[in-house]
Amino acid sequence: MSKALSLVIIGIMLIQVIKPLDLPGLRQRRDFWKLALIALGAIGLTVVLSHGL
């Protein structure tokens, strides 16, 4: 699951660099790093939930 999530986030980051998503906080090309932080959090949450709580 985390591999698929990684690929989706990388795709979204590439789209952000090419043409900004125009969402609040993501209006400029240089804001792609915010997506990377969200990805790290999402992957971390996926790992914690999949390895048993």
Side-chain angles (χ1 to χ4, degrees):
M1 180 66 183
S2 64
K3 288 182 184 179
L5 186 60
S6 313
L7 291 175
V8 169
I9 296 295
I10 289 172
I12 293 171
M13 288 173 64
L14 287 173
I15 291 170
Q16 174 70 21
V17 170
I18 295 168
K19 181 181 184 283
L21 298 173
D22 202 34
L23 296 171
L26 297 172
R27 299 202 188 274
Q28 298 176 350
R29 289 187 172 135
R30 66 178 183 241
D31 292 333
F32 74 95
W33 66 270
K34 294 176 186 176
L35 294 169
L37 290 179
I38 293 169
L40 285 173
I43 291 171
L45 183 64
T46 303
V47 168
V48 167
L49 292 176
S50 69
H51 286 26
L53 266 177

